[in-house]
Amino acid sequence: MERVIPTKIVIASGYKEMSSLAASFVAGLVQEKPDLVMAIPSGRTPVGMYRQLGGMYRKGGLDLSRATFFLLDEYHGLGPRDKGSFYHFIRQNFMRLVNVPAVHVPDSRFPDAVEAGRRYEEEIASAGGLDLAVLGIGVNGHIGFNEPGRPFDSRTGPVNLTPETISANARYFKTPAQVPREAISMGLATIRQARSVLLLASGAPKAEAVAAALAGPVTTTVPASTLQRHPAFTAIVDSGAASLLSGFPQKG
Ligand code: F6R
């Protein structure tokens, strides 16, 4: 059996503190290595961290101009100009706030999604591989768009979204029917290959997924549980998301 490595878990009082701890974590790594290569998520969870990074940049305390960014995932068929695309999201919520010239995104309009995934892997490899993957977590334990059941050795490629994920993401679209059913996501092996991984979670609705991911068995039913095997894995979760974890120290 593979060794399960103890995870560093930091429990923040709330969303704001989670966000500033996450921003400091990222800024610290960028200070050590200005040309850091990062995978970054879309969604509600990282918005506060992106704002904090924007604040650091405005105050002259952060320079991201030499770092490289890869979006974790993108909806199949949606391009950068589509309002529902993750690229649009990241432009509005991150790129606008900092000095990041470009963010890589899977070519989700390329007709062959398997090939688009393979090319994305090549882009990551030619950037030198991921130094850091920042992740949110779905209520079903997904990371990126790796839904329950996705193999731990999966690489970037097409994925089908579960009804749960589709309805969670409906808020970014005018009607539920507009939410894409497919995406291109970095695979679980791709994420695990990052030299360091930071998982963020906020709020009681994430508590079950967080407990299963961090303290449950390592199983493909809970994709995030694969991170327990990562040698440099940190989770920063707020008290709501941590409410079903027991025996972990408060903020370290
Ligand atoms: C988004 C992504 C997803 C989200 C997760 C949580 O790029 O990869 O795994 O991180 O669905 O979403 P929020 O933060 O909206 O709760």
Side-chain angles (χ1 to χ4, degrees):
M1 208 179 100
E2 266 187 78
R3 192 165 66 96
V4 174
I5 300 149
T7 303
K8 178 160 187 248
I9 301 178
V10 178
I11 300 178
S13 54
Y15 181 74
K16 205 167 165 203
E17 193 183 34
M18 178 204 76
S19 303
S20 48
L21 290 170
S24 302
F25 185 100
V26 171
L29 288 187
V30 173
Q31 207 158 26
E32 276 170 30
K33 188 176 185 284
D35 58 349
L36 199 78
V37 180
M38 272 178 74
I40 50 169
S42 308
R44 219 190 290 251
T45 309
V47 169
M49 176 190 74
Y50 293 143
R51 285 201 189 126
Q52 296 274 349
L53 290 171
M56 290 176 182
Y57 165 66
R58 281 197 308 280
K59 289 185 193 134
L62 180 71
D63 176 12
L64 294 175
S65 61
R66 290 178 54 202
T68 306
F69 297 88
F70 287 89
L71 268 181
L72 276 171
D73 37 27
E74 180 57 283
Y75 288 118
H76 197 212
L78 295 195
R81 285 173 208 278
D82 288 301
K83 291 245 166 19
S85 71
F86 282 161
Y87 188 82
H88 177 81
F89 174 92
I90 214 70
R91 197 170 46 211
Q92 294 299 317
N93 290 283
F94 183 46
M95 294 171 77
R96 240 170 17 95
L97 313 179
V98 285
N99 59 338
V100 168
V103 169
H104 295 256
V105 57
D107 186 355
S108 51
R109 286 182 305 176
F110 193 73
D112 179 349
V114 174
E115 175 60 14
R118 206 189 54 74
R119 290 184 185 184
Y120 204 52
E121 291 273 340
E122 271 177 15
E123 279 180 53
I124 295 169
S126 58
L130 297 172
D131 293 305
L132 170 66
V134 181
L135 310 170
I137 182 170
V139 288
N140 62 3
H142 75 206
I143 48 175
F145 270 153
N146 297 288
E147 302 285 35
R150 190 111 200 272
F152 283 165
D153 62 357
S154 52
R155 310 293 320 190
T156 306
V159 290
N160 291 317
L161 304 179
T162 59
E164 226 169 359
T165 300
I166 292 166
S167 73
N169 291 339
R171 63 181 183 273
Y172 297 108
F173 295 85
K174 281 200 184 112
T175 67
Q178 287 176 332
V179 190
R181 268 55 183 160
E182 285 168 30
I184 297 183
S185 177
M186 278 189 198
L188 292 170
T190 317
I191 291 170
R192 239 184 11 253
Q193 234 172 13
R195 289 179 268 279
S196 113
V197 175
L198 175 63
L199 180 84
L200 306 177
S202 170
K206 297 288 172 73
E208 258 182 56
V210 165
L214 304 185
V218 176
T219 162
T220 55
T221 316
V222 182
S225 67
T226 190
L227 300 173
Q228 292 180 28
R229 291 183 176 151
H230 195 285
F233 171 39
T234 302
I236 304 180
V237 301
D238 70 9
S239 50
S243 55
L244 297 175
L245 283 173
S246 52
F248 287 99
Q250 295 290 311
K251 189 156 66 104

